[in-house]
C-alpha cells in the first residue's frame, strides 16, 4: 500500500533534510538496455547513493573543475542563439571539448524530456545512443578510460573490460551534467527574464539571479527516500519512506525572509535552498549561474534579441501545429489553439509597438480593446494548415524585424528611462518574451513514435 509522502515546507526542515545523508533521491528503476534512458538514469550520480554516488559525483566534479566560470559567461553571452537551452548545453559542450556541440545540444534536448520520468521514450533512447560517442573530448583533457569502444558508439555491454565500463560511466555522467544544464539553467534564465520586467533598470544580473532562485526556483520541489531510519521535522521515517522537499515554499518561509512574496534583488538574508546542501549540493552551482548570467548579459545589452527570440520559439512550436487534432488545449481557466496562440502573440507585439511609438511622440498609448484570451473565436477553432503556418511566419517575422530595428535604434537612456508612464522599453521587451506562454499552452505537437504510421 502506497502512503502519501511527508511534505516539508519550512526552511529549517528542508535544509536539515537536504543535509541528512540517509535521505537520497529515489533510485532509478532497472537499468534496461545499455545506452538508453533507463540505463542513463541508473548510471548517473543523481539517482545513486553511497559509495556509488560518491564515485560518480567525483566524475562530474572533475569535469567542472577544469571549466572557468568567467569563460563560460563570456561564451554564453557571445552565442547568438535565442534558445537558452541550446546555449547552456552548447556552452558546456564546447568548454568540455566535446565533438560537434551543435549535435550534442540537439540530442540533449530530446533526452531532457524523458530524463526525470519513467515512461518509455524510443526517441530519447536513440538520442542517448547518439550522444555516447560524442562524449569523447577532442583535445587532451579527457579522462583515462575513454577508449575506442565509447568513441565508436559501442556502449560497454555486460562482461566488457573494466576500462570500457568506466568509460561508459564517465560518458553517462557527462550526459547527466548536460541534461541538468539544459533544463535547470535554462529555466532559471526564463524565470529571471520574467522577473526583470518589474525590476529597477540598475539591478545587477547577479542580484537578479539570486532573488530569482529564491522567489521562483527552476526546480520547485525535490523528492527524497530514506535509506535508513531517520527523523525529519516531526516525523520518524522508516527505510523506504518518501518525503517531498518543497523548496519553493521553504524559500518563502516568513520565519526566514521578510515579505517573502515580494521580489527584492536587494534582499539580505541566507541563500535560497534551490541548489541543495551538502552532502549533495549541486556541484555546478557556480557554472550554472555563470552561463545564466552570460545569457542575461546579452539580453540586457540587446533587448531586441528578446523579441526575435520570442518569435523564433513561437514559430518553432508552430511548425508542429499542422498535426493539431482540433481540440483546444486547456491552460488554467482558459483554452488555447494554434490560431489563438498566434493571434495573442501578434496582438502583444502590435499593442506594445504602438505604445512605444506613442510614448516617444509624447502621446498617450491607444486604449486596450483586445478580446485577449477570454474569447475563443470561430477563427481560433479552424484547422491549422501549412498555409496558415506560412502566414504566421510572414506576419510574426516581419513584426520581429520592426521591433528589432526600433529597439536597436534606441539609446540606453531611452531604454531604461523611457518617456511616459509605464514600464521602461527594456522592461517591455522582457514582458514580450513571456508571450511564449501562448505557444507553450498549445505545445509541441510533433507525432510521437508510437503514433507514427508503421511501414
Amino acid at each position: 500500500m502506497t502512503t502519501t509522502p511527508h511534505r516539508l515546507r519550512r526552511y529549517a526542515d528542508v535544509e536539515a533534510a537536504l543535509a541528512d545523508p540517509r535521505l537520497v533521491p529515489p533510485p532509478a528503476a532497472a537499468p534496461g538496455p545499455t545506452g538508453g534512458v533507463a540505463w542513463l538514469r541508473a548510471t548517473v550520480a543523481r539517482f545513486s547513493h553511497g559509495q556509488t554516488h560518491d564515485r560518480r559525483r567525483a566524475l562530474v566534479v572533475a569535469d567542472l573543475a577544469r571549466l572557468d566560470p568567467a569563460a563560460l559567461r563570456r561564451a554564453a553571452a557571445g552565442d547568438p542563439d535565442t534558445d537558452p537551452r541550446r546555449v547552456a548545453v552548447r556552452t558546456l559542450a564546447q568548454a568540455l571539448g566535446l565533438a560537434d556541440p551543435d549535435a550534442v545540444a540537439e540530442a540533449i534536448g530530446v533526452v531532457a524530456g524523458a530524463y526525470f520520468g519513467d515512461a518509455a521514450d524510443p526517441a530519447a533512447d536513440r538520442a542517448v545512443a547518439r550522444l555516447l560517442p560524442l562524449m569523447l573530448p577532442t583535445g587532451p583533457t579527457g579522462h583515462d578510460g575513454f577508449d575506442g569502444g565509447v568513441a565508436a558508439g559501442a556502449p560497454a555491454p555486460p562482461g566488457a573490460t573494466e576500462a570500457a565500463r568506466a568509460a561508459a560511466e564517465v560518458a553517462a555522467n557527462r550526459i547527466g551534467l548536460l541534461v541538468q544544464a539544459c533544463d535547470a539553467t535554462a529555466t532559471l534564465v526564463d524565470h529571471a527574464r520574467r522577473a526583470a520586467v518589474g525590476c529597477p533598470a540598475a539591478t545587477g544580473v547577479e542580484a537578479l539571479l539570486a532573488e530569482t532562485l529564491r522567489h521562483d526556483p527552476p526546480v520547485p520541489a525535490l523528492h527524497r527516500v530514506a535509506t535508513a531510519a531517520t527523523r525529519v521535522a516531526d516525523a520518524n521515517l522508516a527505510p523506504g519512506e518518501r518525503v517531498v522537499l518543497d523548496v519553493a515554499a521553504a524559500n518563502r518561509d516568513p520565519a526566514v525572509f521578510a515579505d517573502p512574496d515580494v521580489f527584492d534583488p536587494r534582499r539580505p538574508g541566507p541563500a535560497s535552498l534551490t541548489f541543495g546542501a551538502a552532502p549533495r549540493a549541486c556541484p555546478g552551482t557556480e557554472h550554472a549561474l555563470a552561463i545564466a548570467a552570460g545569457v542575461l548579459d546579452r539580453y540586457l545589452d540587446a533587448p531586441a534579441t528578446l523579441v526575435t527570440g520570442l518569435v523564433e520559439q513561437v514559430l518553432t512550436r508552430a511548425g508542429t501545429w499542422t498535426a493539431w487534432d482540433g481540440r483546444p488545449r486547456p491552460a488554467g481557466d482558459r483554452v488555447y489553439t494554434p490560431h489563438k496562440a498566434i493571434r495573442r502573440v501578434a496582438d502583444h507585439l502590435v499593442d506594445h509597438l504602438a505604445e512605444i511609438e506613442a510614448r516617444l511622440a509624447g502621446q498617450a498609448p491607444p486604449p486596450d480593446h483586445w478580446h485577449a484570451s477570454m474569447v475563443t473565436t470561430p477563427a481560433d477553432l479552424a484547422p491549422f494548415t501549412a498555409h496558415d503556418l506560412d502566414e504566421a511566419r510572414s506576419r510574426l517575422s516581419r513584426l520581429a524585424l520592426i521591433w528589432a530595428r526600433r529597439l536597436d535604434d534606441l539609446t540606453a537612456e531611452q531604454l531604461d528611462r523611457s518617456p511616459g508612464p509605464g514600464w521602461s522599453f527594456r522592461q517591455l521587451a522582457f514582458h514580450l518574451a513571456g508571450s511564449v506562454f501562448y505557444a507553450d499552452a498549445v505545445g509541441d505537437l510533433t507525432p510521437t513514435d508510437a503514433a507514427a504510421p508503421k511501414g
Side-chain angles (χ1 to χ4, degrees):
M1 180 178 178
T2 302
T3 59
T4 302
H6 300 276
R7 192 173 193 92
L8 306 183
R9 294 181 174 86
R10 295 187 303 180
Y11 186 98
D13 293 340
V14 172
E15 184 178 38
L18 286 168
D20 189 337
R22 292 158 295 194
L23 294 175
V24 302
T34 302
V37 174
W39 167 83
L40 176 67
R41 286 169 49 83
T43 313
V44 296
R46 181 180 181 90
F47 303 108
S48 57
H49 63 276
Q51 293 183 344
T52 300
H53 168 264
D54 294 343
R55 183 183 72 249
R56 292 171 176 173
R57 181 184 172 90
L59 299 175
V60 177
V61 170
D63 264 342
L64 292 170
R66 54 194 179 90
L67 305 184
D68 176 14
L72 293 176
R73 181 170 181 169
R74 290 192 298 270
D79 192 317
D81 200 328
T82 56
D83 187 335
R85 285 157 178 78
R86 290 195 297 263
V87 173
V89 177
R90 185 163 44 236
T91 298
L92 274 178
Q94 289 171 336
L96 289 168
L98 304 186
D100 202 347
D102 288 328
V104 170
E106 179 181 358
I108 286 291
V110 177
V111 175
Y115 186 70
F116 292 102
D118 294 325
D121 189 332
D125 289 338
R126 292 194 295 271
V128 173
R130 291 196 303 273
L131 282 166
L132 282 172
L134 297 176
M135 293 299 101
L136 177 66
T138 57
T141 55
H143 292 269
D144 293 338
F146 261 96
D147 59 16
V150 171
T161 65
E162 185 60 34
R165 282 195 297 272
E169 188 173 60
V170 171
N173 282 277
R174 191 165 285 164
I175 293 171
L177 169 63
L178 294 168
V179 168
Q180 293 292 124
C182 180
D183 271 356
T185 304
T187 303
L188 171 60
V189 170
D190 288 341
H191 290 185
R193 291 194 304 194
R194 184 168 62 207
V197 172
C199 286
T203 300
V205 171
E206 293 81 0
L208 175 66
L209 285 170
E211 179 66 347
T212 300
L213 285 169
R214 185 200 69 83
H215 189 266
D216 193 9
V219 180
L222 300 170
H223 295 259
R224 293 291 186 265
V225 61
T227 58
T230 187
R231 183 173 177 82
V232 57
D234 297 325
N236 292 313
L237 298 182
E241 283 196 80
R242 299 198 174 206
V243 62
V244 176
L245 312 184
D246 193 333
V247 174
N251 286 346
R252 296 194 187 196
D253 186 344
V256 178
F257 303 101
D259 297 320
D261 294 331
V262 175
F263 188 96
D264 182 6
R266 299 164 300 179
R267 176 184 300 279
S272 73
L273 297 175
T274 303
F275 281 114
R280 300 183 69 104
C282 175
T285 298
E286 186 179 6
H287 306 79
L289 289 174
I291 292 172
V295 176
L296 290 169
D297 285 340
R298 178 162 53 87
Y299 288 134
L300 292 171
D301 289 342
T305 60
L306 284 162
V307 182
T308 56
L310 157 70
V311 169
E312 180 180 317
Q313 292 178 67
V314 170
L315 292 178
T316 296
R317 289 159 178 75
T320 72
W321 292 349
T322 55
W324 181 51
D325 60 9
R327 293 180 297 176
R329 296 319 199 244
D333 61 348
R334 301 186 181 179
V335 297
Y336 293 91
T337 70
H339 283 292
K340 187 173 182 178
I342 296 297
R343 171 169 68 83
R344 292 302 298 129
V345 173
D347 288 353
H348 267 175
L349 292 170
V350 170
D351 189 39
H352 290 299
L353 184 63
E355 176 189 349
I356 285 182
E357 296 303 329
R359 289 169 60 182
L360 286 171
Q363 301 172 356
D368 182 354
H369 295 303
W370 301 111
H371 292 297
S373 298
M374 295 182 292
V375 173
T376 301
T377 70
D380 291 335
L381 297 170
F384 193 80
T385 68
H387 293 303
D388 294 311
L389 177 59
D390 286 341
E391 293 284 322
R393 284 175 173 150
S394 294
R395 183 178 302 113
L396 296 185
S397 294
R398 282 164 171 75
L399 283 170
L401 178 62
I402 295 169
W403 262 99
R405 288 178 175 171
R406 163 46 75 200
L407 291 173
D408 284 341
D409 284 344
L410 297 174
T411 65
E413 179 75 12
Q414 289 173 312
L415 285 169
D416 292 321
R417 295 173 178 81
S418 309
W423 286 327
S424 73
F425 296 160
R426 191 188 300 275
Q427 289 170 331
L428 278 180
F430 276 90
H431 169 66
L432 280 172
S435 297
V436 75
F437 163 82
Y438 301 113
D440 287 341
V442 179
D444 184 338
L445 302 185
T446 302
T448 62
D449 289 345
K454 305 294 191 292

